[in-house]
Amino acid sequence: MGKNIFLETGAVVKRCNDTLDGLMQQFRDWEIRSVHIHVHQIAEDLALQGIAYADGAGLNTTKTCLEGTRIPILTEIVDWIENCAPEAPRIFWLHGNAGKGKSAIAHTIAAQYQNLGKLGSCFCFTRTSHTERRHEKLFTTIARDLADRDVRLRQALAEALTNQHSLKGTRDVMQQWQKLVLGPLSKWSPVLGNVVVVIDALDESGKEHSRKHILEILSSQVMALPANIRILLTSRPLPDIHGTLHHAKHVVSRSLDDIPAEDDIRFYISQKLGSLGKGFREQEFARLAQKSDGLFEWARLACEFISMRKPCPTPIQRFHAIMSQDPGRAGRTLLDVMYTAILRGTLADTPETLAQFRFVMRQILGIHEPLTIDSLNALCCRTGVGEDGEGVESILEFMASLLSGIADRSTPVRPLHTSFHDYLMDPARSRKFYVDMGGIHDELSIACLHAMRDLSFNICGLGTSYVPNADIENLNERIRRNIPPHLSYACRFWASHLKAAVFNGSLALEVVHFLFSARLLFWMEVLTLLKALGNISEALAAVATWLEVG
């Protein structure tokens, strides 16, 4: 009996040892696989690092439609996205005049499909982003967004960039499309159904040449995409876009100008003004909706203007003022009339106030990259507008209905709608509020050069110059503390403003003082920290040409 117990015990011990050996081997295999995966992920990160990407061009959930509005067109777009038929059109082109609500619909669809995990990318053009050359980053940004949502696409994109490093910064949109979008997608076996890519406001990419090749791709090469990819595209029906897409078989063309919106606008107005009480009933809401002529942007501005927190005139008086307005002369739109009414109700009608308004708006419309109020203050005061930018804030304080960044000081200031930018730039439409942009680059060149007087040696207080920037602890925090946004802007854009400025002796003297001072080296150091060192040769060449010609 004792012998049997001994044999059984030995067998149990052996089985335990065998099990432990197996577990240890599995652990070693798992550890090796984990290390391999980790190394592979690091290699992919390095491959993807530096690919041209349009920051700030993505989904903005604050721009979505009010819940309960635009139901028919949203339903039509969703049905198109979910259509799994192989012959289903790949592009849905939603177009219409300014103010019809195209962007709100685009952002609503993008937000809905992001929540479903089926948004491939959302890319928005804006009038104020022309200097960012977003049209050259459209497909690289879409490629990176697609890679972030699927590990296989990430691997395929990293492989393409590793094999051809120059693709990271190429401006050739045809190469971007073929090798960074189609190439990785050809190796993809999707399992989540149809995926939508949203491209909003293509008409705001710039002049026709900026989107020529993009339109060629959308018109002739989209059918090469996997059958589950859908592209929702919005724009005004400009001739080049209309001529390319309107009759294409793979494009659903839908005009918001043909879709009645009065009921939705009335509902929107009732939600925004319903709390005002006395004097505001369904009758007033219906009159405003009828007056809007189908323009959601007009309705938004009307609600903002009527509910403005100013004691005089009263909300009902502002309502009657709006209802009495008429475009009148040819060339003026309903939106123009609204902008004029808001500016009249916001600004004191004095020569000093109007001059100050034009100056501040010149800076906002003329800078290459939108800045916050505080940064505008710091930059504008270099050209003599009030103490510490007081003039900037006094003008912008009541313009939250027209500009972003007024209520939220951390948001860059820019027109909320393209039509306001166009209104200010056309003297026949804006009249006394017209903003003449002549000489703006001269002013901004001076402002940037004056701002760069704050440059100093080792501006971020780094302990040594023998360590690569990538290895410096908390470098981004050091940059944030020591290189304020207005100084960063000045360092990156002074030369491009100078290139567009008219030559004059005082400005040239300021440039020469900068070039023959230690600040030139400090400027280079800042560009290194901002990862913009590649701009130096182009900037200095532009400066040399400006001086030589002058």
PDB file of all heavy atoms in Angstrom, residues 195-213:
ATOM      1  N   VAL A 195     -17.723  52.234 -44.059  1.00  0.00           N
ATOM      2  CA  VAL A 195     -16.988  53.277 -43.341  1.00  0.00           C
ATOM      3  C   VAL A 195     -17.105  54.563 -44.139  1.00  0.00           C
ATOM      4  O   VAL A 195     -16.974  54.557 -45.364  1.00  0.00           O
ATOM      5  CB  VAL A 195     -15.505  52.876 -43.176  1.00  0.00           C
ATOM      6  CG1 VAL A 195     -14.693  54.025 -42.603  1.00  0.00           C
ATOM      7  CG2 VAL A 195     -15.382  51.637 -42.292  1.00  0.00           C
ATOM      8  N   VAL A 196     -17.360  55.692 -43.447  1.00  0.00           N
ATOM      9  CA  VAL A 196     -17.539  56.963 -44.142  1.00  0.00           C
ATOM     10  C   VAL A 196     -16.368  57.896 -43.879  1.00  0.00           C
ATOM     11  O   VAL A 196     -15.857  57.986 -42.767  1.00  0.00           O
ATOM     12  CB  VAL A 196     -18.865  57.644 -43.736  1.00  0.00           C
ATOM     13  CG1 VAL A 196     -18.884  58.018 -42.258  1.00  0.00           C
ATOM     14  CG2 VAL A 196     -19.128  58.876 -44.598  1.00  0.00           C
ATOM     15  N   VAL A 197     -15.930  58.564 -44.937  1.00  0.00           N
ATOM     16  CA  VAL A 197     -14.941  59.642 -44.860  1.00  0.00           C
ATOM     17  C   VAL A 197     -15.667  60.932 -45.202  1.00  0.00           C
ATOM     18  O   VAL A 197     -16.327  61.020 -46.241  1.00  0.00           O
ATOM     19  CB  VAL A 197     -13.779  59.402 -45.843  1.00  0.00           C
ATOM     20  CG1 VAL A 197     -12.863  60.620 -45.901  1.00  0.00           C
ATOM     21  CG2 VAL A 197     -12.985  58.159 -45.442  1.00  0.00           C
ATOM     22  N   VAL A 198     -15.564  61.934 -44.333  1.00  0.00           N
ATOM     23  CA  VAL A 198     -16.253  63.217 -44.528  1.00  0.00           C
ATOM     24  C   VAL A 198     -15.230  64.270 -44.956  1.00  0.00           C
ATOM     25  O   VAL A 198     -14.210  64.461 -44.296  1.00  0.00           O
ATOM     26  CB  VAL A 198     -16.961  63.665 -43.239  1.00  0.00           C
ATOM     27  CG1 VAL A 198     -17.590  65.052 -43.417  1.00  0.00           C
ATOM     28  CG2 VAL A 198     -18.023  62.652 -42.829  1.00  0.00           C
ATOM     29  N   ILE A 199     -15.512  64.941 -46.069  1.00  0.00           N
ATOM     30  CA  ILE A 199     -14.689  66.066 -46.537  1.00  0.00           C
ATOM     31  C   ILE A 199     -15.617  67.273 -46.626  1.00  0.00           C
ATOM     32  O   ILE A 199     -16.501  67.330 -47.474  1.00  0.00           O
ATOM     33  CB  ILE A 199     -14.051  65.779 -47.908  1.00  0.00           C
ATOM     34  CG1 ILE A 199     -13.187  64.510 -47.847  1.00  0.00           C
ATOM     35  CG2 ILE A 199     -13.203  66.968 -48.354  1.00  0.00           C
ATOM     36  CD1 ILE A 199     -12.635  64.082 -49.206  1.00  0.00           C
ATOM     37  N   ASP A 200     -15.415  68.243 -45.738  1.00  0.00           N
ATOM     38  CA  ASP A 200     -16.324  69.381 -45.631  1.00  0.00           C
ATOM     39  C   ASP A 200     -15.719  70.633 -46.252  1.00  0.00           C
ATOM     40  O   ASP A 200     -14.536  70.930 -46.067  1.00  0.00           O
ATOM     41  CB  ASP A 200     -16.647  69.647 -44.153  1.00  0.00           C
ATOM     42  CG  ASP A 200     -17.619  70.794 -43.964  1.00  0.00           C
ATOM     43  OD1 ASP A 200     -18.579  70.896 -44.761  1.00  0.00           O
ATOM     44  OD2 ASP A 200     -17.423  71.597 -43.032  1.00  0.00           O
ATOM     45  N   ALA A 201     -16.539  71.374 -47.001  1.00  0.00           N
ATOM     46  CA  ALA A 201     -16.188  72.699 -47.549  1.00  0.00           C
ATOM     47  C   ALA A 201     -14.994  72.648 -48.500  1.00  0.00           C
ATOM     48  O   ALA A 201     -14.057  73.436 -48.367  1.00  0.00           O
ATOM     49  CB  ALA A 201     -15.922  73.688 -46.414  1.00  0.00           C
ATOM     50  N   LEU A 202     -15.050  71.763 -49.475  1.00  0.00           N
ATOM     51  CA  LEU A 202     -13.967  71.684 -50.461  1.00  0.00           C
ATOM     52  C   LEU A 202     -13.787  73.010 -51.188  1.00  0.00           C
ATOM     53  O   LEU A 202     -12.672  73.352 -51.603  1.00  0.00           O
ATOM     54  CB  LEU A 202     -14.253  70.561 -51.462  1.00  0.00           C
ATOM     55  CG  LEU A 202     -13.211  70.356 -52.561  1.00  0.00           C
ATOM     56  CD1 LEU A 202     -11.853  69.984 -51.965  1.00  0.00           C
ATOM     57  CD2 LEU A 202     -13.666  69.283 -53.552  1.00  0.00           C
ATOM     58  N   ASP A 203     -14.854  73.775 -51.339  1.00  0.00           N
ATOM     59  CA  ASP A 203     -14.760  75.063 -52.038  1.00  0.00           C
ATOM     60  C   ASP A 203     -13.871  76.060 -51.300  1.00  0.00           C
ATOM     61  O   ASP A 203     -13.408  77.049 -51.885  1.00  0.00           O
ATOM     62  CB  ASP A 203     -16.155  75.670 -52.203  1.00  0.00           C
ATOM     63  CG  ASP A 203     -16.880  75.820 -50.868  1.00  0.00           C
ATOM     64  OD1 ASP A 203     -17.199  74.787 -50.257  1.00  0.00           O
ATOM     65  OD2 ASP A 203     -17.118  76.959 -50.433  1.00  0.00           O
ATOM     66  N   GLU A 204     -13.582  75.817 -50.011  1.00  0.00           N
ATOM     67  CA  GLU A 204     -12.743  76.712 -49.234  1.00  0.00           C
ATOM     68  C   GLU A 204     -11.277  76.268 -49.205  1.00  0.00           C
ATOM     69  O   GLU A 204     -10.491  76.746 -48.381  1.00  0.00           O
ATOM     70  CB  GLU A 204     -13.289  76.845 -47.809  1.00  0.00           C
ATOM     71  CG  GLU A 204     -14.660  77.509 -47.768  1.00  0.00           C
ATOM     72  CD  GLU A 204     -15.169  77.739 -46.362  1.00  0.00           C
ATOM     73  OE1 GLU A 204     -14.342  77.843 -45.441  1.00  0.00           O
ATOM     74  OE2 GLU A 204     -16.397  77.820 -46.179  1.00  0.00           O
ATOM     75  N   SER A 205     -10.906  75.374 -50.106  1.00  0.00           N
ATOM     76  CA  SER A 205      -9.519  74.913 -50.163  1.00  0.00           C
ATOM     77  C   SER A 205      -8.594  75.986 -50.721  1.00  0.00           C
ATOM     78  O   SER A 205      -7.381  75.932 -50.529  1.00  0.00           O
ATOM     79  CB  SER A 205      -9.412  73.656 -51.045  1.00  0.00           C
ATOM     80  OG  SER A 205      -9.778  73.963 -52.386  1.00  0.00           O
ATOM     81  N   GLY A 206      -9.154  76.975 -51.419  1.00  0.00           N
ATOM     82  CA  GLY A 206      -8.349  78.011 -52.056  1.00  0.00           C
ATOM     83  C   GLY A 206      -8.859  78.258 -53.465  1.00  0.00           C
ATOM     84  O   GLY A 206     -10.033  78.040 -53.769  1.00  0.00           O
ATOM     85  N   LYS A 207      -7.961  78.688 -54.347  1.00  0.00           N
ATOM     86  CA  LYS A 207      -8.340  78.905 -55.739  1.00  0.00           C
ATOM     87  C   LYS A 207      -8.462  77.570 -56.470  1.00  0.00           C
ATOM     88  O   LYS A 207      -8.109  76.518 -55.941  1.00  0.00           O
ATOM     89  CB  LYS A 207      -7.321  79.814 -56.416  1.00  0.00           C
ATOM     90  CG  LYS A 207      -7.289  81.218 -55.806  1.00  0.00           C
ATOM     91  CD  LYS A 207      -6.317  82.126 -56.524  1.00  0.00           C
ATOM     92  CE  LYS A 207      -6.323  83.527 -55.902  1.00  0.00           C
ATOM     93  NZ  LYS A 207      -5.357  84.439 -56.560  1.00  0.00           N
ATOM     94  N   GLU A 208      -8.962  77.612 -57.707  1.00  0.00           N
ATOM     95  CA  GLU A 208      -9.260  76.381 -58.442  1.00  0.00           C
ATOM     96  C   GLU A 208      -8.068  75.431 -58.511  1.00  0.00           C
ATOM     97  O   GLU A 208      -8.227  74.210 -58.392  1.00  0.00           O
ATOM     98  CB  GLU A 208      -9.743  76.713 -59.858  1.00  0.00           C
ATOM     99  CG  GLU A 208     -11.156  77.267 -59.913  1.00  0.00           C
ATOM    100  CD  GLU A 208     -11.685  77.349 -61.339  1.00  0.00           C
ATOM    101  OE1 GLU A 208     -11.091  76.712 -62.226  1.00  0.00           O
ATOM    102  OE2 GLU A 208     -12.684  78.065 -61.563  1.00  0.00           O
ATOM    103  N   HIS A 209      -6.862  75.977 -58.706  1.00  0.00           N
ATOM    104  CA  HIS A 209      -5.695  75.097 -58.871  1.00  0.00           C
ATOM    105  C   HIS A 209      -5.412  74.292 -57.602  1.00  0.00           C
ATOM    106  O   HIS A 209      -4.789  73.236 -57.659  1.00  0.00           O
ATOM    107  CB  HIS A 209      -4.461  75.920 -59.254  1.00  0.00           C
ATOM    108  CG  HIS A 209      -3.981  76.855 -58.181  1.00  0.00           C
ATOM    109  ND1 HIS A 209      -3.207  76.444 -57.126  1.00  0.00           N
ATOM    110  CD2 HIS A 209      -4.182  78.190 -58.002  1.00  0.00           C
ATOM    111  CE1 HIS A 209      -2.934  77.470 -56.329  1.00  0.00           C
ATOM    112  NE2 HIS A 209      -3.527  78.540 -56.835  1.00  0.00           N
ATOM    113  N   SER A 210      -5.874  74.786 -56.432  1.00  0.00           N
ATOM    114  CA  SER A 210      -5.598  74.086 -55.174  1.00  0.00           C
ATOM    115  C   SER A 210      -6.333  72.750 -55.082  1.00  0.00           C
ATOM    116  O   SER A 210      -5.921  71.859 -54.334  1.00  0.00           O
ATOM    117  CB  SER A 210      -5.973  74.960 -53.975  1.00  0.00           C
ATOM    118  OG  SER A 210      -7.384  75.119 -53.888  1.00  0.00           O
ATOM    119  N   ARG A 211      -7.430  72.597 -55.810  1.00  0.00           N
ATOM    120  CA  ARG A 211      -8.214  71.358 -55.729  1.00  0.00           C
ATOM    121  C   ARG A 211      -8.307  70.629 -57.066  1.00  0.00           C
ATOM    122  O   ARG A 211      -9.064  69.664 -57.201  1.00  0.00           O
ATOM    123  CB  ARG A 211      -9.611  71.652 -55.193  1.00  0.00           C
ATOM    124  CG  ARG A 211     -10.369  72.720 -55.963  1.00  0.00           C
ATOM    125  CD  ARG A 211     -11.736  73.013 -55.349  1.00  0.00           C
ATOM    126  NE  ARG A 211     -12.353  74.164 -56.005  1.00  0.00           N
ATOM    127  CZ  ARG A 211     -12.239  75.418 -55.588  1.00  0.00           C
ATOM    128  NH1 ARG A 211     -11.546  75.678 -54.501  1.00  0.00           N
ATOM    129  NH2 ARG A 211     -12.819  76.405 -56.250  1.00  0.00           N
ATOM    130  N   LYS A 212      -7.558  71.089 -58.058  1.00  0.00           N
ATOM    131  CA  LYS A 212      -7.630  70.492 -59.387  1.00  0.00           C
ATOM    132  C   LYS A 212      -7.375  68.992 -59.345  1.00  0.00           C
ATOM    133  O   LYS A 212      -8.157  68.185 -59.863  1.00  0.00           O
ATOM    134  CB  LYS A 212      -6.634  71.180 -60.321  1.00  0.00           C
ATOM    135  CG  LYS A 212      -6.572  70.559 -61.718  1.00  0.00           C
ATOM    136  CD  LYS A 212      -5.517  71.237 -62.577  1.00  0.00           C
ATOM    137  CE  LYS A 212      -5.402  70.558 -63.942  1.00  0.00           C
ATOM    138  NZ  LYS A 212      -4.333  71.180 -64.770  1.00  0.00           N
ATOM    139  N   HIS A 213      -6.273  68.591 -58.708  1.00  0.00           N
ATOM    140  CA  HIS A 213      -5.916  67.165 -58.684  1.00  0.00           C
ATOM    141  C   HIS A 213      -6.827  66.381 -57.740  1.00  0.00           C
ATOM    142  O   HIS A 213      -7.103  65.197 -57.975  1.00  0.00           O
ATOM    143  CB  HIS A 213      -4.451  67.001 -58.282  1.00  0.00           C
ATOM    144  CG  HIS A 213      -3.493  67.628 -59.256  1.00  0.00           C
ATOM    145  ND1 HIS A 213      -3.464  67.284 -60.586  1.00  0.00           N
ATOM    146  CD2 HIS A 213      -2.543  68.579 -59.093  1.00  0.00           C
ATOM    147  CE1 HIS A 213      -2.533  67.994 -61.207  1.00  0.00           C
ATOM    148  NE2 HIS A 213      -1.972  68.793 -60.328  1.00  0.00           N
TER     149      HIS A 213
END
